[in-house]
Amino acid sequence: MRRSGILLHPTSLLGRAGIGSIGKPARDFLQFLSDAGQQVWQMLPLVPTDDGGCPYNSTSALAANTRLIDLDDLCDDPYRLLSLEDLKYAPIPDHPERAEFKMAGDYKNELIQTAFARLVDSTDPIHRKLWQQFESFCEENADWLDDFALFDTLQAKQPEGPVWTTWPKGLRDRDPDALEAARDRFDDEIEWRKFAQFLFHRQWAALKARATELGIKIMGDVPIFVSHNSVDVWAHRDLFELDEKGFPGFVSGVPPDYFSPEGQLWGNPLYAWPRHAKTGYAWWISRLRAMNKLADIVRLDHFRGFEAFWRVASTEKTAINGEWVKGPGIEFFRAVKKALPDLEIIAEDLGIVTPAVEKLRKDADFPGMRVLEFGFPIDEPNDHHALHMHTPDSVVYCGTHDNDTICGWYDSLDEGMRDHVRRYLSIDGRDIAWQLMRAAESSVADLCILTVQDIFCYGTWARMNVPGVAKGNWTWRMVNTIPGWNADRLRELTALYGRLPVYNSPKA
């Protein structure tokens, strides 16, 4: 089935206090997708982030980013735990086109605590009904929620700071008595954090239901690695390669490639894969099951790391000096498919793709990714990213969140390469964003994913991420709604190459 969709992270939407939300801005975007004949909304990981906003360096692989909670919806829903009067002092960002993660977090956390206090103090029967829903949520998600809420609280309250390896030994090593004492001491702090997760999942369920009504599937994103300073590593130290004090001797990264001449030193701890195998990969299956509740499709980040991963000594300053170490391979994916037979997975197979990586992808029966911006090397005309080399079992992008926008990419090319692009596509380059998007839609790949930045024809300033650069990423936001004529133009393009949903097609 041929489909088309758009990549846009919810933080890039409009919203109060300098960040997008999963309320009306997200519902409006779903309507745009429907009007434009799109069937997939791809997002980045929905996990908590620090004030830098990187969704690939989170304190939890299972918790949600509560900065995305829509406060206006909390005013409008039947429980009315907040009022518009509570929201009137919302801070105004200095640069509306950039997400302000700290501003949004501080503002929303304060109001979520206000809402929770009102719920606790209320005797209204309708609020008691909401409390029962909250208790049920806590019970159903206790396997990750209890640890996360405690960890998040300790990060904020520990005098030693947020890094768990610096905490007193009892907390660092999860002594039961120390944990119980912390839970008693910080009970209120822990509970409102659980409530924030409840609010996110409640609003998300409504958003996902609307997406289903419109025939749109949500594509989520699962990073292969987790942050060392995360509840996952703190609570499951035995599943990671750590010393007795919780420090990794080796960390993750990738060797030098087209993104960085020094490689990328990610710094995540490495999995103790033999220990995962002994559990039947239970932690990973729980993680994917949780994502499958939020999304219809899962993009599995850094797929090649499941065949072999780049291991770098934690003392290194770059990722140049490392070695490939075998990953879990096909046995891992067999266990996943047995536990989650209906889970739709897309393999992010970019980077150094060896025959062994390609074999693993095919054995697992996952579509891979093709990026048109990578498909124009003059001296390598048969590169698998080139349009004429695509296969149906793939997802085609003009560029991903790690790439420049089409306009920025084209402007960065020398005239010889621009000429090659124009001749290859038989275009004049005057409307390069839409001309390259047309090429992507024409691909034989079953799924085509475009970016909102390219629909607007934005330049490099709207880029989401520059791999290997630590600061200044993840902050781009839409400052305007998408004009209706763009929906019409995209729908026409989508129809032209047979990617419209059947029930919306002109012949239906």
Side-chain angles (χ1 to χ4, degrees), residues 191-209:
E191 288 302 301
W192 82 255
R193 285 173 166 82
K194 291 182 180 180
F195 183 67
Q197 291 293 315
F198 166 69
L199 291 179
F200 174 93
H201 282 269
R202 188 165 166 269
Q203 290 190 351
W204 184 264
L207 182 68
K208 193 167 183 295

Side-chain angles (χ1 to χ4, degrees), residues 7-10 41-46 204 207 218-221:
L7 167 60
L8 175 73
H9 197 48
W41 179 1
Q42 180 180 342
M43 304 176 182
L44 305 183
L46 292 165
W204 184 264
L207 182 68
I218 303 294
M219 186 196 300
D221 193 324

Side-chain angles (χ1 to χ4, degrees), residues 418-436:
R418 285 191 205 132
D419 178 65
H420 176 72
V421 171
R422 292 191 296 265
R423 287 187 296 108
Y424 181 86
L425 296 176
S426 190
I427 61 174
D428 59 15
R430 294 178 184 176
D431 191 13
I432 187 60
W434 281 86
Q435 288 170 336
L436 197 65

Side-chain angles (χ1 to χ4, degrees), residues 203-399:
Q203 290 190 351
W204 184 264
L207 182 68
K208 193 167 183 295
R210 179 56 178 157
T212 300
E213 288 176 4
L214 294 172
I216 296 165
K217 291 185 179 294
I218 303 294
M219 186 196 300
D221 193 324
V222 173
I224 183 174
F225 295 115
V226 297
S227 171
H228 176 251
N229 191 32
S230 68
V231 62
D232 311 286
V233 179
W234 177 63
H236 304 282
R237 281 170 61 174
D238 60 313
L239 297 179
F240 298 86
E241 296 289 356
L242 306 171
D243 65 21
E244 68 279 1
K245 293 184 179 180
F247 293 101
F250 294 90
V251 294
S252 67
V254 290
D257 59 13
Y258 40 65
F259 283 126
S260 173
E262 294 185 339
Q264 298 174 52
L265 186 61
W266 294 335
N268 310 85
L270 302 174
Y271 293 108
W273 282 117
R275 295 174 210 159
H276 282 269
K278 288 181 179 179
T279 69
Y281 302 100
W283 180 86
W284 261 100
I285 289 170
S286 294
R287 184 185 185 190
L288 292 171
R289 181 178 287 113
M291 173 52 69
N292 200 205
K293 292 178 181 178
L294 298 176
D296 306 289
I297 308 167
V298 171
R299 171 190 178 271
L300 199 55
D301 184 55
H302 196 58
F303 176 80
R304 74 102 54 243
F306 292 97
E307 193 282 320
F309 53 90
W310 190 246
R311 184 175 74 172
V312 184
S314 58
T315 54
E316 292 286 336
K317 302 300 182 184
T318 73
I320 294 175
N321 298 317
E323 63 177 342
W324 290 109
V325 179
K326 279 293 180 182
I330 193 61
E331 293 305 320
F332 168 73
F333 293 112
R334 286 173 179 160
V336 169
K337 288 198 170 190
K338 183 178 180 180
L340 303 168
D342 298 324
L343 179 62
E344 184 177 350
I345 292 177
I346 291 171
E348 188 272 287
D349 57 345
L350 305 179
I352 301 173
V353 179
T354 64
V357 175
E358 181 68 2
K359 182 179 185 302
L360 178 61
R361 183 185 69 79
K362 290 183 177 181
D363 288 347
D365 196 25
F366 299 150
M369 290 172 53
R370 302 294 178 261
V371 180
L372 288 186
E373 289 184 13
F374 296 156
F376 294 99
I378 293 175
D379 57 343
E380 297 179 26
N382 292 321
D383 185 281
H384 71 288
H385 291 288
L387 184 62
H388 66 280
M389 296 298 291
H390 293 182
T391 55
D393 63 334
S394 56
V395 184
V396 60
Y397 296 77
C398 295

Side-chain angles (χ1 to χ4, degrees), residues 451-463:
T451 72
V452 165
Q453 293 97 316
D454 291 332
I455 292 170
F456 277 113
C457 302
Y458 286 158
T460 298
W461 67 270
R463 184 172 180 165

